């Protein structure tokens, strides 16, 4: 995995700390974007059934010539497929599209509390894990309450929780809960989905280091221990977002970024009320 550090998910599975996300990448552009990311050196790719581009991710992987065990592929179960049997079928459908025998990480995309199927869904995840079809299982957009309820009935603990997390929404309480329970934290929308690129505080830090604000944000995620999966379809940006291992933010920079946290800084849906299927 080159110079990208790994974060342990279980005793025998580790995820590269920096990966490449493909949310909102149109299928027609996905193969090229993933191929570029793999050429640049990314080895972890984050997709989801609902993104509609698993097949193109699979094509890029197949054509890359990179050994399967050097890659780390994540996909996610969409809300409408939650439930035991539906999860098993949805997993097969995703694997057919990805063209893979074994998945590295499967995530429940959202808890969807109104439907209340995530415990049954998790039982199916545990079966897929026990059968060796997926190396690690986790969740996305789970709150502390959802995680606690899941862990109270689970045999296998979620290895990771992928949540909205960026300088304006730092999720400190949830990160502490993860740390306490040995759950890795993965940041989606790590650049604030593009909304923080011109932030004056980040611009000042970027100027000081001769870097871009995107690089400063990615570096911040790495230094506070998050797994991070920025997205871009522009080759120069894909490359720039990977060139973050030759500088370091200092204490003053980290304090300045800590001060940007805002409890109302959420951009995406609130998992406690998001019940779209
Ligand atoms: P992001 O924070 O990665 O921001 C992406 C935006 O920033 C894009 O518009 C891109 O053009 C711009 N950008 C990227 N690099 C740049 C650079 N160097 N300079 C200037 N602009 C740059 O937002 P995201 O795509 O929403 O999140 C990343 C990944 O997280 C997604 O692709 C997806 O894989 C995952 N995700 C998961 C969920 C979930 O519910 N689990 C939700 C959203 C995203």
């Amino acid at each position: 995995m080159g110079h990208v550090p790994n974060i342990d998910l279980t005793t025998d599975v580790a995820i590269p700390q920096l990966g490449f996300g493909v949310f909102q990448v149109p299928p027609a552009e996905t193969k090229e974007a993933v191929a570029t990311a793999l050429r640049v050196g990314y080895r972890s790719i984050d997709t989801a059934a609902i993104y509609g581009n698993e097949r193109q991710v699979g094509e890029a992987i197949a054509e890359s010539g990179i050994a399967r065990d050097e890659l780390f592929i994540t996909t996610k179960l969409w809300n409408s497929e939650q439930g035991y049997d539906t999860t098993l079928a949805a997993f097969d459908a995703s694997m057919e599209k990805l063209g893979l025998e074994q998945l590295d990480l499967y995530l429940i995309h959202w808890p969807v509390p109104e439907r209340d199927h995530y415990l049954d869904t998790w039982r199916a995840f545990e079966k897929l894990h026990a059968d060796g079809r997926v190396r690690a299982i986790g969740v996305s957009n789970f709150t502390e309450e959802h995680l606690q309820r899941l862990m109270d009935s689970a045999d296998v603990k979620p290895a990771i929780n992928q949540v909205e997390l960026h300088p304006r929404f730092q999720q400190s309480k949830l990160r502490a809960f993860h740390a306490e329970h040995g759950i890795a934290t993965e940041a989606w929308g790590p650049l604030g989905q593009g909304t923080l690129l011109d932030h004056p505080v980040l611009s000042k830090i970027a100027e000081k280091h001769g870097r871009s604000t995107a690089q400063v944000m990615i570096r911040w995620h790495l230094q506070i221990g998050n797994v991070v999966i920025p997205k871009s379809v522009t080759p120069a940006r894909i490359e720039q977002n990977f060139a973050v291992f030759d500088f370091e933010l200092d204490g003053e920079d980290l304090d300045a970024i800590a001060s940007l946290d805002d409890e109302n800084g959420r951009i995406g849906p609130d998992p406690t009320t998001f019940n779209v299927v």
Side-chain angles (χ1 to χ4, degrees):
M1 305 272 177
H3 51 299
V4 179
N6 285 327
I7 298 277
D8 286 335
L9 294 184
T10 63
T11 48
D12 59 347
V13 180
I15 184 171
Q17 203 181 355
L18 175 59
F20 183 69
V22 296
F23 175 48
Q24 289 178 329
V25 180
E29 294 174 40
T30 301
K31 191 165 108 175
E32 188 52 38
V34 173
T36 301
L38 294 174
R39 261 197 307 277
V40 164
Y42 295 80
R43 290 295 177 264
S44 167
I45 309 292
D46 181 87
T47 184
I50 195 69
Y51 300 170
N53 55 21
E54 287 172 311
R55 193 171 297 286
Q56 292 73 21
V57 168
E59 286 169 5
I61 293 167
E63 290 175 25
S64 72
I66 298 169
R68 176 67 187 90
D69 64 4
E70 284 181 32
L71 297 170
F72 192 99
I73 310 302
T74 301
T75 194
K76 313 184 193 83
L77 174 86
W78 185 240
N79 302 348
S80 56
E81 307 312 302
Q82 281 203 36
Y84 189 83
D85 292 333
T86 41
T87 293
L88 296 179
F91 179 81
D92 286 343
S94 282
M95 294 299 275
E96 187 275 321
K97 290 191 178 115
L98 287 164
L100 299 176
E101 290 294 317
Q102 190 188 42
L103 187 68
D104 297 289
L105 179 63
Y106 201 31
L107 303 179
I108 301 181
H109 206 143
W110 290 88
V112 201
E114 198 172 85
R115 293 189 79 211
D116 197 19
H117 281 333
Y118 63 80
L119 299 181
D120 282 350
T121 303
W122 191 253
R123 281 199 303 116
F125 270 50
E126 288 177 332
K127 176 177 167 49
L128 293 166
H129 182 251
D131 290 348
R133 304 208 54 209
V134 53
R135 298 174 65 226
I137 51 177
V139 295
S140 178
N141 300 302
F142 273 45
T143 65
E144 271 178 57
E145 289 72 22
H146 302 135
L147 286 169
Q148 190 59 61
R149 185 159 171 254
L150 184 65
M151 288 189 293
D152 286 346
S153 73
D155 292 329
V156 179
K157 185 182 66 177
I160 195 166
N161 187 17
Q162 183 186 113
V163 294
E164 178 179 344
L165 204 172
H166 44 75
R168 203 153 55 199
F169 195 61
Q170 302 187 11
Q171 300 262 31
S172 309
K173 246 185 105 221
L174 185 59
R175 284 177 46 235
F177 182 87
H178 290 165
E180 187 187 327
H181 292 277
I183 300 168
T185 299
E186 183 167 24
W188 71 250
L191 311 175
Q193 296 194 321
T195 62
L196 300 175
L197 294 162
D198 297 323
H199 194 289
V201 168
L202 298 171
S203 299
K204 199 169 150 218
I205 298 169
E207 204 173 312
K208 168 173 147 189
H209 290 278
R211 300 288 170 150
S212 71
T213 51
Q215 287 174 312
V216 166
M217 284 187 266
I218 294 166
R219 191 66 221 169
W220 172 75
H221 285 286
L222 296 173
Q223 287 186 220
I224 68 169
N226 296 339
V227 176
V228 58
I229 45 170
K231 168 243 163 178
S232 173
V233 290
T234 310
R237 289 175 175 171
I238 295 174
E239 203 165 328
Q240 180 195 115
N241 294 349
F242 199 71
V244 290
F245 297 100
D246 56 351
F247 77 108
E248 203 166 344
L249 301 176
D250 60 29
E252 193 189 350
D253 304 331
L254 294 173
D255 287 347
I257 297 174
S259 76
L260 303 182
D261 194 17
D262 177 350
E263 61 179 26
N264 298 312
R266 190 192 289 285
I267 297 169
D270 181 341
T272 61
T273 53
F274 186 66
N275 292 298
V276 170
V277 293

